């Protein structure tokens, strides 16, 4: 039987919590992976409920990982953009220039929790942007867009491991195209905002990249690369990422809504994207 290790990580990992978790999981030894990530060797996965309860109270991320599992075991990394690769929701920030950020952000949050029909919610939010000058998109990209901590190390490690990388977003091609060039993604896909006379028209053009669209892009590239699902790693945060994550053998809910955390293989709610490398060393 393949051994399992328990990976613990967070903003701060107290020695007392590590010792308690080693006891709960009946692990043999604790070793440091990085500054804020530790591995409890040969832990018992049957202790999952007790470990989850302790980590919830201690604000720690946890995951049982097979001995020897590495990033190079995967051939494709698929990432959501808004609130995953980057720290914001682009549509909310664009809406700020129309004085409608609070209204749009509330719809975004409800859609990400799975409480609204996603395509309908996108169209209503995009309609709120009608009339804004196209130059607003450049301002959002330059002034507000920030990469999530750990994003660049993760993508660099994926390239070194020979993985294809896919950015697939319900957001907008204005941002996915620039991030593809900046970060070297194999492919990037999003929704195209219609522009008329230098202003946002309040609608999107072309096929909608919704939950099904994201899943189809993952499945298409996976199959084109000749990879089985077990060699696909998908990371997302919202309900519209669940179908995409279902096309992958391993999924990670990143700073995610409860509906996503409950269905993902792993959840990272405290660590940055470098936490992926604590689970699967490069």
């Amino acid at each position: 039987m393949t051994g399992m290790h328990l990976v613990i990580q967070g903003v701060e990992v107290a020695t007392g919590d590590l010792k308690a978790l080693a006891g709960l999981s009946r692990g043999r030894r604790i070793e440091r992976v990085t500054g804020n990530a530790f591995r409890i060797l040969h832990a018992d996965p049957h202790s999952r409920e007790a470990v989850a309860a302790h980590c919830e109270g201690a604000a720690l991320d946890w995951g049982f990982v097979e001995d020897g599992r590495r990033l190079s075991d995967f051939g494709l990394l698929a990432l959501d953009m808004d609130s995953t690769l980057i720290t914001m929701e682009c549509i909310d920030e664009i809406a700020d220039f129309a004085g409608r950020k609070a209204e749009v952000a509330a719809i975004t949050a409800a859609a990400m929790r799975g409480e609204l029909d996603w395509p309908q919610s996108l169209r209503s939010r995009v309609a709120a942007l009608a009339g804004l000058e196209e130059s607003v998109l450049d301002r959002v990209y330059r002034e507000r867009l920030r990469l999530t901590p750990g994003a660049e190390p993760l993508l660099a490690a994926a390239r070194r491991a020979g993985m294809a990388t896919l950015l697939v977003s319900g957001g907008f091609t204005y941002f996915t195209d620039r991030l593809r060039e900046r970060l070297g993604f194999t492919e990037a896909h999003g929704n195209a905002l219609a522009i008329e006379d230098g202003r946002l028209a309040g609608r999107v053009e072309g096929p909608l990249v919704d939950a099904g669209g994201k899943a189809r892009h993952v499945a298409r590239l996976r199959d084109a690369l000749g990879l089985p699902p077990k060699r696909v790693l998908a990371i997302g945060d919202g309900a519209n990422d669940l179908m995409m994550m279902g096309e992958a053998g391993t999924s990670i809910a990143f700073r995610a809504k409860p509906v996503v955390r409950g269905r993902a293989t792993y959840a990272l709610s405290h660590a940055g994207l470098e936490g992926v490398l604590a689970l699967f060393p490069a």
Side-chain angles (χ1 to χ4, degrees), residues 165-208:
T165 53
L166 170 66
L167 179 60
V168 61
S169 174
F172 306 123
T173 54
Y174 186 93
F175 304 100
T176 58
D177 288 350
R178 283 156 180 77
L179 289 168
R180 181 194 67 230
E181 294 174 7
R182 174 176 168 184
L183 299 172
F185 279 93
T186 306
E187 290 187 11
H189 301 278
N191 293 300
L193 286 167
I195 307 292
E196 294 178 350
D197 299 322
R199 294 184 179 273
L200 305 190
R203 66 178 188 278
V204 293
E205 297 179 320
L208 196 64

Side-chain angles (χ1 to χ4, degrees), residues 74-253:
F74 300 100
L76 172 62
L77 170 64
L79 273 164
D80 172 51
M81 181 176 70
D82 295 277
S83 297
T84 302
L85 178 70
I86 62 176
T87 60
M88 67 181 193
E89 295 284 335
C90 289
I91 194 167
D92 297 354
E93 300 304 319
I94 299 169
D96 195 22
F97 287 88
R100 302 181 70 174
K101 181 175 181 177
E103 168 195 343
V104 169
I107 298 172
T108 299
M112 293 303 98
R113 292 192 298 266
E115 298 169 359
L116 299 175
D117 176 77
W118 194 88
Q120 182 179 344
S121 80
L122 178 67
R123 292 188 180 99
S124 69
R125 286 176 288 157
V126 170
L129 310 179
L132 284 173
E133 292 185 2
E134 182 182 7
S135 60
V136 163
L137 301 178
D138 180 62
R139 288 193 62 186
V140 170
Y141 181 80
R142 288 187 296 104
E143 298 173 10
R144 304 193 180 189
L145 186 146
R146 298 291 181 271
L147 296 177
T148 296
E152 289 178 292
L154 172 60
L155 288 165
R159 285 193 295 273
R160 289 195 299 271
M163 298 172 66
T165 53
L166 170 66
L167 179 60
V168 61
S169 174
F172 306 123
T173 54
Y174 186 93
F175 304 100
T176 58
D177 288 350
R178 283 156 180 77
L179 289 168
R180 181 194 67 230
E181 294 174 7
R182 174 176 168 184
L183 299 172
F185 279 93
T186 306
E187 290 187 11
H189 301 278
N191 293 300
L193 286 167
I195 307 292
E196 294 178 350
D197 299 322
R199 294 184 179 273
L200 305 190
R203 66 178 188 278
V204 293
E205 297 179 320
L208 196 64
V209 181
D210 56 5
K214 287 187 172 192
R216 285 190 291 275
H217 279 301
V218 172
R220 174 189 52 76
L221 186 53
R222 178 196 67 204
D223 294 346
L225 294 168
L227 299 171
K230 70 178 182 180
R231 294 199 63 209
V232 180
L233 174 61
I235 307 173
D237 73 303
N240 65 323
D241 294 317
L242 286 171
M243 289 181 67
M244 165 184 91
M245 293 162 75
E247 296 292 341
T250 301
S251 58
I252 296 176

